């Protein structure tokens, strides 16, 4: 029997919608689109909470409106699927999180060594190899480090550099109260990513999905880890040439399940910005907004030591 989750879901929708409008007014298109996609996914869940067909249809239509809003913000063609089924809409939820990233490497201040590592990691996949040489690029990268150091931006820039479809996923979007739905969402995510390849799947706060296994976790948690292991191994796509790069972000790498951790072919530390990086970040943000300062950027950077 299902629990009535309509109250918390409605509160989450209101919070996401408020955030979307705030980002939109500030001209932060990527964040606004992500918030509207979150609204769309939550509204689909909200639709499944009512037994009344008329109200369910209205909520599903509202979900589609939020998704279209996200698409328009990013100037992408709108993909509209059947809105009559709340239960069979897992793939629609996944589609709501995909877009083409407009973030470039130049938009990221500093982190030059980190950017170089990531470029090498995926560059091997597309580099022209000499005859007889089989050298495959990495398909899994773990970005770890303190909060606010640019892990999401690095993933978005990677997607843009590859001209790939970008799936920016929050772990809360993959976790469900319904039995078995989380594993279905993860499978749907990778199914769509392979179909729209080349793709970059970025999952933030990855430790929430794949914590260390012991003896006290639930069966649902074990199934999530098992599904992730299968997808990271590429079991569902070994016979296909579709390139899907999984990038996971975490502030707590020691919390990850050891088997999951071993599946990441490349682990990249994203540190707090040093003096030179902080100067680059300040210059990038102030000059892009037309703000002039008489204080040398080096002095400003010195005042922000230890900041993310």
């Amino acid at each position: 029997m299902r629990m009535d989750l309509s109250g918390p879901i409605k509160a989450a929708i209101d919070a996401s919608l408020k955030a979307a409008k705030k980002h939109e007014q500030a001209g932060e298109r990527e964040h606004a689109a992500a918030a509207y996609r979150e609204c769309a996914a939550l509204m689909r869940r909200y639709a499944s909470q009512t037994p009344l067909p008329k109200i369910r249809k209205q909520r599903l239509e509202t979900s589609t409106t939020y998704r279209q809003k996200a698409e328009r913000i990013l100037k992408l063609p709108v993909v509209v699927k059947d809105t009559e089924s709340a239960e069979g809409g897992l793939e629609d939820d996944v589609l709501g999180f995909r877009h083409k990233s407009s973030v470039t490497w130049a938009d990221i201040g500093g982190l030059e060594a980190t950017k170089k590592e990531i470029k090498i990691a995926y560059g091997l996949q597309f580099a022209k190899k000499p005859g007889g040489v089989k050298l495959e690029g990495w398909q899994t990268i773990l970005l770890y480090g303190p909060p606010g150091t640019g892990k999401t931006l690095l993933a978005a820039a990677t997607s843009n550099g590859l001209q790939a479809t970008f799936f920016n996923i929050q772990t809360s979007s993959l976790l469900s109260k319904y039995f078995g739905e989380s594993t279905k969402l993860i499978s749907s995510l990778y199914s769509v990513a392979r179909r729209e390849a080349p793709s970059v799947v970025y999952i933030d706060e990855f430790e929430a999905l794949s914590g260390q296994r012991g003896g006290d976790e639930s069966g649902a948690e074990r199934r999530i880890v098992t599904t992730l292991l299968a997808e990271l191994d590429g079991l569902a796509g070994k016979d296909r040439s579709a390139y899907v790069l999984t990038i996971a972000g975490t502030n707590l790498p020691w919390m990850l399940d050891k088997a999951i951790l071993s599946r990441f072919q490349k682990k990249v530390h994203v540190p707090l910005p040093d003096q030179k990086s902080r100067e680059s970040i300040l210059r990038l943000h102030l000059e892009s907004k037309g703000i002039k300062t008489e204080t040398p950027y080096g002095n400003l950077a010195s005042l922000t030591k230890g900041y993310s």
Side-chain angles (χ1 to χ4, degrees), residues 98-287:
R98 67 92 174 88
H99 64 281
K100 292 289 184 181
S101 172
S102 60
V103 177
T104 68
W105 294 111
D107 294 328
I108 303 174
L111 295 175
E112 297 306 323
T114 305
K115 287 189 263 187
K116 184 177 180 180
E117 276 196 85
I118 295 173
K119 289 177 183 178
I120 292 173
Y122 72 71
L124 288 172
Q125 178 71 24
F126 299 98
K128 186 176 181 180
K129 288 92 173 175
V133 174
K134 293 183 178 180
L135 187 62
E136 295 183 355
W138 290 297
Q139 291 186 300
T140 51
I141 300 175
L142 178 69
L143 302 180
Y144 67 96
T149 50
K151 294 184 283 293
T152 302
L153 280 177
L154 287 167
T158 300
S159 173
N160 191 359
L162 288 168
Q163 292 296 293
T165 307
F166 186 43
F167 294 83
N168 186 3
I169 308 294
Q170 299 292 322
T171 52
S172 59
S173 303
L174 296 177
L175 296 175
S176 174
K177 295 284 186 181
Y178 298 143
F179 184 82
E181 189 173 271
S182 293
T183 55
K184 292 178 182 177
L185 278 166
I186 293 168
S187 297
S188 293
L189 167 63
Y190 278 92
S191 175
V192 174
R194 284 189 292 271
R195 192 176 69 216
E196 302 206 6
S199 299
V200 172
V201 175
Y202 176 66
I203 306 176
D204 198 11
E205 298 180 347
F206 194 67
E207 70 280 355
L209 280 180
S210 56
Q212 293 184 12
R213 286 173 289 181
D216 57 349
E217 74 275 2
S218 68
E221 290 171 334
R222 287 194 294 270
R223 279 189 292 275
I224 288 174
V225 173
T226 301
T227 302
L228 281 170
L229 285 170
E231 294 297 349
L232 293 178
D233 280 336
L235 295 179
K238 280 186 174 178
D239 296 329
R240 308 178 73 169
S241 59
Y243 180 63
V244 177
L245 172 62
T246 298
I247 302 178
T250 181
N251 308 323
L252 307 168
W254 55 87
M255 294 287 290
L256 295 179
D257 181 80
K258 291 181 180 179
I260 290 285
L261 192 59
S262 69
R263 280 356 186 242
F264 285 95
Q265 301 158 298
K266 185 71 175 176
K267 302 173 184 68
V268 181
H269 182 227
V270 186
L272 288 169
D274 56 18
Q275 170 79 15
K276 185 176 180 182
S277 294
R278 294 196 303 276
E279 183 176 339
S280 176
I281 292 168
L282 287 164
R283 186 184 299 277
L284 180 68
H285 285 285
L286 291 174
E287 290 184 354

